[in-house]
Amino acid sequence: MNQTAELANRLIAAPSVTPATGLVFDEFEAMLAPLGFDVHRFTRGDGEPGSEEAPVENLFAIRHGPAGSRHFAFAGHLDVVPPGEGWTSAPFAPEIRGELLHGRGAVDMKGAIAAMVSAVAHVPQDAGTISFIITGDEEGPALHGTRALIDYMREAGHQPDLCLVGEPTSVHRLGDMMKIGRRGSLNVWLEVDGAQGHVAYPHNADNPLPRMVAMLSELNALHLDDGTEWFQPSNLEITDIEVGNPATNVIPAKAKARISIRFNDLHSGASLARQVVEIAERHGGKARPVISGEPFLTPPGEFSRIIAKAVEAETGLVPEASTSGGTSDARFLRAVCPVIEFGLCNATMHKRDEAVALADLDTLSRIYARIATAVLAQR
């Protein structure tokens, strides 16, 4: 087992279903201490377990280079999604079968964090400042994770020049894709009130369903845009319709629904929320929008060229610059400095028997070391 796989093994063996606290952070801190990092850990959130306000642990670690040197940040998360049932081996008892390391988080994203740690061990301290921005709440509500870390960094005066997030971006082979941006995310809860009554006496009731159907029809027919040079078209999807009426002869008193919009940089969460609210009110309904993240783009430039050159040197591939897929904590980190995501193959993330190739862990570590060294060498 290579060094990176050994580190990944230790992290996987520390159960950390979101929101993560405790043991997995102990393991991570123990990995950083011998490398000269100053580690700051803190918990944000004071709600009950299982609530959106449940406590989340975060970690910021920094190894200072010479005065005036550049600052490069690695970012990621130690929390994982629930493993579910039906695993061939225990999800938090990492197991090597053939050339693969199995366990929850192997790909998303404890394997990448292990690669970051082993990469830093090969970057001299006098090359520049390196930090780790690590949360336990990326897979959950993301209320008290990276956003809390950004608050801490601002208060402490830590300002990275560039940041790399280790999300699993590769598709078919390690190195075939990096993410230079992501679309934004908006969810909206819709509601129409009526008055319950007998279906044989509709004049004594007020059926909310025709208004909800008309509202959803108008929303579903919206043409948001045709995409941009770097982003695919925005899309609106109806994700839930709820009436809860078990009786066949009763007009219901209320209808509920939910929509999700993934949008590019032609829009903002606020502008789309206003549009949905206006449509809902026009049909006699109410809308409660929740913006999960705004779109971001780090235009192709020196940072993406550094990453592409490092990937090509280790794999022979030139990664495609993409903005596809879901959201990540890069949507918050974009407010701090330019950010790009690059990591392992994503074929098994969030699945049973999640697994990473041992060779990919070792290769990713070398790629990260090349990227950090090249970024810090910039003047």
Side-chain angles (χ1 to χ4, degrees):
M1 188 186 301
N2 60 52
Q3 179 194 27
T4 307
E6 290 176 358
L7 297 175
N9 196 84
R10 289 168 58 184
L11 293 175
I12 294 168
S16 56
V17 172
T18 193
T21 59
L23 179 59
V24 70
F25 284 92
D26 295 341
E27 286 287 347
F28 185 54
E29 182 176 5
M31 296 174 187
L32 295 178
L35 300 176
F37 281 84
D38 297 322
V39 178
H40 176 70
R41 290 166 61 177
F42 64 95
T43 300
R44 184 77 64 89
D46 56 7
E48 294 296 320
S51 72
E52 288 192 347
E53 297 295 330
V56 174
E57 187 159 2
N58 299 293
L59 180 150
F60 180 82
I62 190 164
R63 190 182 73 182
H64 292 281
S69 61
R70 287 175 65 79
H71 178 176
F72 179 64
F74 285 111
H77 61 92
L78 285 169
D79 62 317
V80 298
V81 296
E85 303 295 328
W87 284 64
T88 303
S89 56
F92 297 114
E95 181 176 296
I96 293 176
R97 299 199 295 273
E99 299 300 319
L100 300 177
L101 171 62
H102 291 261
R104 174 57 85 218
V107 168
D108 190 13
M109 58 173 286
K110 294 179 178 181
I113 291 178
M116 294 171 182
V117 175
S118 57
V120 168
H122 294 91
V123 180
Q125 186 164 350
D126 62 6
T129 297
I130 295 178
S131 64
F132 284 89
I133 306 167
I134 306 296
T135 183
D137 185 34
E138 195 272 347
E139 300 289 6
L143 294 176
H144 300 300
T146 294
R147 287 191 274 199
L149 280 159
I150 291 172
D151 291 342
Y152 167 76
M153 291 163 60
R154 286 174 174 160
E155 292 167 3
H158 298 306
Q159 176 62 52
D161 294 294
L162 296 171
C163 178
L164 187 144
V165 180
E167 287 291 339
T169 60
S170 301
V171 181
H172 302 293
R173 289 178 55 192
L174 174 64
D176 62 5
M177 184 176 289
M178 60 178 160
K179 304 289 187 179
I180 62 170
R182 297 275 192 170
R183 293 190 298 169
S185 175
L186 170 68
N187 292 294
V188 188
W189 282 258
L190 304 166
E191 191 171 295
V192 177
D193 289 320
Q196 184 173 308
H198 196 293
V199 296
Y201 303 93
H203 56 284
N204 292 329
D206 177 17
N207 194 336
L209 288 175
R211 280 174 282 149
M212 176 62 78
V213 169
M215 180 198 305
L216 291 176
S217 178
E218 182 173 350
L219 289 168
N220 191 57
L222 287 177
H223 178 76
L224 297 175
D225 57 72
D226 294 312
T228 69
E229 179 183 4
W230 287 108
F231 285 98
Q232 66 193 85
S234 303
N235 65 295
L236 182 155
E237 304 299 331
I238 299 169
T239 57
D240 189 34
I241 299 175
E242 176 188 346
V243 179
N245 180 15
T248 60
N249 60 350
V250 174
I251 292 171
K254 187 184 296 288
K256 298 179 181 180
R258 186 181 65 239
I259 62 171
S260 180
I261 305 176
R262 295 300 171 97
F263 57 97
N264 58 40
D265 57 354
L266 293 175
H267 311 271
S268 69
S271 67
L272 288 169
R274 285 194 299 270
Q275 187 174 5
V276 173
V277 168
E278 290 170 1
I279 292 172
E281 291 178 347
R282 189 160 60 247
H283 290 279
K286 296 176 288 187
R288 181 174 66 87
V290 175
I291 302 167
S292 301
E294 299 289 346
F296 80 92
L297 177 69
T298 300
E302 187 59 28
F303 191 17
S304 57
R305 283 193 291 271
I306 286 174
I307 295 173
K309 186 175 180 180
V311 171
E312 186 175 17
E314 294 294 340
T315 68
L317 299 175
V318 176
E320 175 190 352
S322 172
T323 63
S324 62
T327 60
S328 78
D329 276 356
R331 69 190 190 271
F332 306 127
L333 291 164
R334 70 185 183 94
V336 176
C337 65
V339 57
I340 291 179
E341 302 172 36
F342 176 74
L344 295 161
C345 292
N346 56 30
T348 63
M349 67 176 182
H350 293 201
K351 293 184 177 182
R352 289 179 298 177
D353 291 340
E354 181 179 351
V356 62
L358 296 173
D360 282 357
L361 288 174
D362 200 34
T363 302
L364 184 62
S365 173
R366 296 195 303 271
I367 292 171
Y368 283 165
R370 285 180 179 271
I371 293 170
T373 300
V375 168
L376 295 175
Q378 288 183 304
R379 292 292 181 263

